Amino acid sequence: MPNPSRLRAAALTATAAALSVLLAGCGGGSQEDDEDLSGQKLHWKDCPAPSEAEGGGAAPSPLPDGDEWQCATMKAPLDWDDPGGDTIGLALIRAEASGAADRRIGSLVFNFGGPGGSGVTTLPAFGQDYAKLRTRYDLVSFDPRGVGRSDPVECLDDKQLDTYFQQDATPDDRAERTEFVDNTEEFNAACEKNSKKILPHVRTTDAARDMDLMRQVLGDEKLHYFGISYGTELGGVYAHLFPKHVGRAVFDAVVDPTQTAEQGSLGQAKGFQLALDNFAEDCVSKVEDCPVGGTAEDVEARIARLLKDLDRKPIPGVFPRELTETAATGGIAQALYSKDFWEYLTEGLEQAYDGDGRVLMVLSDALNGRNEDGEYSNITAANVAINCADDKPRYDPAYVEDKLPEFRDASPLFGDYLAWSMLSCTDWPVAGAADHPDVHAPGAAPILVIGNTGDPATPYEGAGRMVDALGKGVGVELTYKGQGHGAYDSKNRCVQDAVHGYLLDGKVPAAETVCS
């Protein structure tokens, strides 16, 4: 099973939509000889409804001022080592700047993370949150190669994915371990069978080169950029490859660029455990009684007992599927991405203790990219493909078993889950590129790097390490003392003022600014 904490916040909107219902009751390209792709013209038009790979649903609603979102497809080389060869189509979306033309700075390109999240669906879902930035920028996002409409990686079909996500991802004995390894091998073999052509070309370095082509096609001298979660890793790689092309850039929910896949998973185990501790403390600190435990320790002990019970006997989830230990763990992890979802976690736990697993199952489905119609986006397939193309280390079951005590010490609840997820790339058909990304970017313009002390998926320490890795005079760190994955979308005034000051007015905040 893919690492849940590497499936970033792109699914949060789908989570809210699905829960509200429950609780209320661009393809491949052709040979292009000698064409200068930087000179291509984009043909913007009204956006279609999202494809199944993008998550399905309705076409984006008009912006509050009545303007429509516009979509286009940009051609890019399939293989950047052979720029004159086959091309692929990258799906783009934009909202044109709302302010006076003479105040327009250019385009502000967003990547919301994943890897594997569709920017074409995520940007309009959160578009109103960036209304102030739109006064001086065209807001632009895209489906990275292998994602959504951009030649999506395809592995298992919907029915097969339902079965795959029901498996036991924390094996307790030899038989369960064998079954888990077999399921992982079958998933990876399906990816190779269905997406062999694209798999070698979905590395973060490929996506960074796509963004520089995008910068040119959009007509911008510099790339102005807002990267969230994995988007910070992509932004760091871009800055390394094209330091002189970096414009005003913000990194929020920062991936630690110095860690291997194992170190990242261990750090995320600690991060999700911290978030769970904070959730439990928050629940019992409220004036009314916490419905899922009398003390923080009691809350976590009851969750642990629930998961053990589900390992032995699942309970009804979203019919006809059952809530398993694995699904419940994923649902809990998804709820910890945002403090806004803690109330859903409380309700989900309360219901699960009474034998009803629907809320936790909906949260788990959001993590895995499943919509109410039973269709899956390709976020899981793309996530695995991009991570495995990027990450050089490969781990075997014996290695994971040796590491289990360390992971369990980091998190009694999430340790096993995250340790066994390291097998995702073990037999992947494409070799991984490096132990960790190179983000050293001497000469780049200042990059505002924001770390959240309560972030479960990208622990706070990664922000400081990103600043150090970018190099002297590039990274400017800002600390947000908050909860959840990321800082800007918390709507904290101090954080947003710093971001707006830099992106809109070019004012770099003082290094080591602290917001709370």
Side-chain angles (χ1 to χ4, degrees):
M1 168 167 288
N3 185 328
S5 51
R6 305 188 78 168
L7 299 178
R8 311 295 187 195
L12 291 180
T13 300
T15 310
L19 282 167
S20 65
V21 172
L22 173 62
L23 297 178
C26 301
S30 58
Q31 187 80 12
E32 301 288 341
D33 293 323
D34 301 319
E35 181 180 357
D36 180 7
L37 294 176
S38 66
Q40 67 185 284
K41 300 297 182 184
L42 297 178
H43 302 290
W44 295 101
K45 57 186 179 181
D46 290 347
C47 295
S51 67
E52 180 176 341
E54 289 177 309
S61 300
L63 291 145
D65 61 5
D67 287 352
E68 297 285 347
W69 292 93
Q70 299 175 318
C71 287
T73 300
M74 184 186 81
K75 295 178 183 177
L78 171 66
D79 182 352
W80 274 102
D81 290 333
D82 181 20
D86 287 352
T87 64
I88 58 174
L90 302 181
L92 276 62
I93 189 169
R94 78 172 180 185
E96 292 186 283
S98 61
D102 62 353
R103 294 275 293 160
R104 180 182 177 276
I105 296 171
S107 299
L108 180 62
V109 176
F110 289 79
N111 181 280
F112 296 94
S118 165
V120 171
T121 59
T122 304
L123 181 58
F126 291 98
Q128 185 55 33
D129 293 348
Y130 305 108
K132 189 161 186 176
L133 296 175
R134 187 180 165 228
T135 60
R136 300 198 67 190
Y137 290 98
D138 295 345
L139 306 184
V140 177
S141 194
F142 63 107
D143 289 352
R145 54 177 58 218
V147 176
R149 288 187 187 271
S150 299
D151 207 342
V153 175
E154 298 177 352
C155 300
L156 302 177
D157 63 28
D158 293 337
K159 185 176 180 180
Q160 291 171 324
L161 284 170
D162 272 347
T163 301
Y164 178 72
F165 288 122
Q166 291 288 98
Q167 71 174 312
D168 189 339
T170 56
D172 301 312
D173 55 38
R174 184 181 298 275
E176 289 183 352
R177 188 184 81 172
T178 298
E179 182 178 9
F180 178 75
V181 171
D182 288 347
N183 288 338
T184 302
E185 290 176 351
E186 289 173 10
F187 181 94
N188 292 353
C191 298
E192 182 177 22
K193 177 182 177 181
N194 295 322
S195 301
K196 187 174 183 178
K197 184 177 180 180
I198 190 68
L199 292 186
H201 307 298
V202 295
R203 293 188 171 99
T204 298
T205 50
D206 296 313
R209 291 185 170 94
D210 291 339
M211 287 206 305
D212 199 58
L213 176 61
M214 193 182 306
R215 172 191 64 80
Q216 298 171 69
V217 172
L218 292 169
D220 291 328
E221 181 180 351
K222 303 281 187 178
L223 179 75
H224 306 296
Y225 180 73
F226 199 138
I228 302 165
S229 197
Y230 162 79
T232 66
E233 179 178 327
L234 174 58
V237 170
Y238 179 89
H240 170 70
L241 294 175
F242 306 103
K244 300 301 184 184
H245 296 170
V246 175
R248 299 175 188 177
V250 173
F251 294 176
D252 187 8
V254 185
V255 173
D256 186 338
T258 69
Q259 294 183 328
T260 64
E262 176 189 346
Q263 292 167 337
S265 292
L266 184 62
Q268 289 162 346
K270 296 175 183 177
F272 275 94
Q273 186 62 45
L274 174 63
L276 182 67
D277 295 343
N278 291 336
F279 159 76
E281 291 284 356
D282 179 76
C283 188
V284 300
S285 70
K286 297 185 182 301
V287 175
E288 66 273 16
D289 290 339
C290 175
V292 291
T295 66
E297 293 77 10
D298 185 37
V299 171
E300 296 191 29
R302 291 190 70 194
I303 293 173
R305 287 197 299 272
L306 171 67
L307 295 179
K308 286 184 179 180
D309 290 343
L310 292 173
D311 191 27
R312 291 190 295 267
K313 184 177 176 57
I315 61 176
V318 176
F319 185 81
R321 295 171 299 139
E322 294 182 315
L323 181 73
T324 62
E325 176 195 21
T326 298
T329 305
I332 293 166
Q334 177 69 357
L336 294 175
Y337 272 104
S338 171
K339 192 172 182 179
D340 291 342
F341 291 129
W342 287 6
E343 62 179 293
Y344 298 133
L345 178 53
T346 299
E347 184 159 358
L349 290 170
E350 195 174 9
Q351 289 187 5
Y353 296 145
D354 290 333
D356 181 351
R358 286 179 297 165
V359 172
L360 290 183
M361 178 69 85
V362 169
L363 287 163
S364 178
D365 284 347
L367 181 75
N368 298 325
R370 188 185 195 271
N371 66 24
E372 295 174 77
D373 296 328
E375 297 175 341
Y376 286 86
S377 74
N378 88 313
I379 189 171
T380 296
N383 179 270
V384 174
I386 296 167
N387 283 327
C388 294
D390 278 348
D391 296 338
K392 186 175 182 180
R394 300 292 188 252
Y395 308 103
D396 61 30
Y399 186 87
V400 171
E401 288 188 336
D402 286 343
K403 291 293 181 177
L404 282 174
E406 187 176 2
F407 274 78
R408 288 168 178 164
D409 184 60
S411 175
L413 187 70
F414 297 106
D416 280 42
Y417 193 48
L418 288 164
W420 284 108
S421 74
M422 292 194 299
L423 294 185
S424 294
C425 299
T426 298
D427 60 344
W428 192 252
V430 175
D435 288 332
H436 53 80
D438 191 346
V439 301
H440 187 52
I447 297 172
L448 179 57
V449 178
I450 307 172
N452 181 350
T453 58
D455 196 315
T458 50
Y460 168 70
E461 294 78 11
R465 292 173 187 151
M466 175 66 82
V467 168
D468 291 342
L470 287 168
K472 186 176 181 179
V474 179
V476 178
E477 185 174 5
L478 182 150
T479 294
Y480 170 54
K481 293 184 176 180
Q483 302 295 334
H485 189 43
Y488 183 88
D489 63 1
S490 72
K491 300 184 173 56
N492 176 271
R493 179 68 178 271
C494 172
V495 171
Q496 294 201 339
D497 283 350
V499 171
H500 296 158
Y502 184 39
L503 291 180
L504 296 174
D505 301 316
K507 298 176 181 177
V508 182
E512 301 182 4
T513 295
V514 177
C515 296
S516 58

